[in-house]
């Protein structure tokens, strides 16, 4: 069996354009006189800080997508990257999406778009957590005027173009696996992680 791994594509131009297009569609649902003041909250799945502090590149990669999306939008609106879906008592990435909504509304920002920036399709963390727990329940609790949730890429034509672009470029370049994927975090202590990286290095360079 021949292995080839596509492990990250957070800066793909078609992916960026897809998110930007979905955001524009949601912005257009607000009254024209309020569109410029709508606050964009990019919400990504959080990580425990112990993992981040060991050197996991995930927060930086999500941030790269956010910056490119806002550049595509000509930085038309205020925005922040926030984190959702924390589990357990230990410290995770912050600020949390729910706390950010409360803080914004308390400071007069009552029109918000939630963008599931690290998700490629709608599921329970968008359809329930973002739509119901945050946009509906917290929005009502704190007196938000309007909180809308941007669609995930799903089957958007630009997202399909992104998939085609990523796969075709990967095959053309002939790379079996990126060095980034094969590199352990600087402070990694996970024996299984070391073992898996070693296996992928062998499996992808074997042929």
């Amino acid at each position: 069996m021949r292995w080839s791994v596509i492990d990250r594509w957070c800066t793909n131009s078609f992916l960026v354009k897809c998110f930007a297009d979905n955001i524009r569609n949601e912005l257009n649902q607000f009254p024209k006189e309020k569109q410029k003041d709508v606050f964009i909250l990019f919400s990504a799945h959080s990580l425990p800080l112990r993992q981040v502090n060991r050197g996991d590149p995930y927060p930086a990669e999500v941030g790269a997508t956010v910056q490119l999306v806002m550049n595509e939008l000509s930085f038309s609106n205020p925005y922040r990257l926030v984190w959702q879906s924390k589990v357990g008592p230990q410290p995770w990435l912050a600020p949390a999406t729910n706390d950010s909504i409360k803080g914004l509304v308390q400071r007069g920002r009552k029109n918000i778009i939630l963008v599931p920036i690290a998700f490629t399709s709608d599921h329970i963390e968008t359809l329930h957590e973002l739509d119901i727990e945050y946009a509906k329940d917290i929005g009502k609790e704190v007196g938000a005027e309007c909180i809308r949730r941007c669609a995930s890429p799903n089957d958007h034509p630009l997202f399909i173009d992104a998939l085609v672009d990523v796969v075709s470029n990967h095959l053309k370049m002939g790379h079996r696996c990126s060095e980034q994927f094969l590199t352990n975090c600087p402070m990694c202590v996970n024996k299984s992680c070391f073992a898996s990286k070693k296996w992928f290095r062998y499996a992808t360079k074997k042929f």
Side-chain angles (χ1 to χ4, degrees):
M1 182 180 292
R2 302 183 67 177
W3 284 85
S4 180
V5 180
I6 297 173
D7 58 282
R8 65 201 68 230
W9 40 291
C10 57
T11 59
N12 181 271
S13 61
F14 291 105
L15 178 69
V16 168
K17 291 178 185 297
C18 174
F19 276 115
D21 189 59
N22 283 342
I23 291 170
R24 289 191 194 97
N25 289 338
E26 289 306 314
L27 280 172
N28 288 334
Q29 304 307 309
F30 289 85
K32 280 193 175 182
E33 66 274 12
K34 296 187 177 182
Q35 288 179 9
K36 286 289 183 181
D37 294 324
V38 173
F39 204 101
I40 302 174
L41 279 183
F42 292 92
S43 185
H45 198 294
S46 192
L47 279 184
L49 282 182
R50 71 175 184 275
Q51 187 170 338
V52 176
N53 292 340
R54 288 171 183 158
D56 196 304
Y58 170 73
E61 291 172 350
V62 176
T65 308
V66 169
Q67 288 300 112
L68 290 172
V69 170
M70 288 309 303
N71 185 65
E72 183 71 20
L73 295 170
S74 300
F75 295 93
S76 60
N77 292 72
Y79 69 99
R80 287 294 186 275
L81 171 58
V82 296
W83 308 94
Q84 67 178 86
S85 308
K86 174 186 174 181
V87 178
Q90 295 190 7
W92 285 46
L93 285 168
T97 305
N98 53 336
D99 292 335
S100 299
I101 293 171
K102 294 175 183 177
L104 286 173
V105 174
Q106 288 169 0
R107 290 161 178 78
R109 297 282 192 176
K110 296 189 174 184
N111 291 288
I112 299 169
I113 289 179
L114 301 175
V115 182
I117 191 62
F119 300 116
T120 57
S121 61
D122 287 323
H123 58 299
I124 192 169
E125 288 170 311
T126 60
L127 299 171
H128 192 276
E129 187 175 2
L130 290 180
D131 288 357
I132 298 175
E133 293 180 32
Y134 296 170
K136 181 181 177 182
D137 295 345
I138 291 179
K140 182 178 180 180
E141 174 190 333
V142 297
E145 186 174 324
C146 182
I147 300 178
R148 300 188 63 87
R149 198 260 301 171
C150 178
S152 298
N154 295 317
D155 59 350
H156 193 296
L158 285 169
F159 181 58
I160 306 305
D161 289 341
L163 298 179
V164 172
D165 186 56
V166 169
V167 173
S168 60
N169 285 334
H170 177 76
L171 294 175
K172 288 175 185 176
M173 292 174 68
H175 287 170
R176 295 292 183 197
C177 194
S178 75
E179 282 299 319
Q180 182 75 336
F181 179 74
L182 296 173
T183 302
N184 291 91
C185 294
M187 307 302 291
C188 182
V189 295
N190 190 324
K191 292 182 180 180
S192 296
C193 186
F194 276 99
S196 67
K197 302 284 187 183
K198 182 179 179 180
W199 185 88
F200 271 107
R201 184 174 293 279
Y202 167 77
T204 55
K205 293 190 176 182
K206 181 179 177 182
F207 298 96

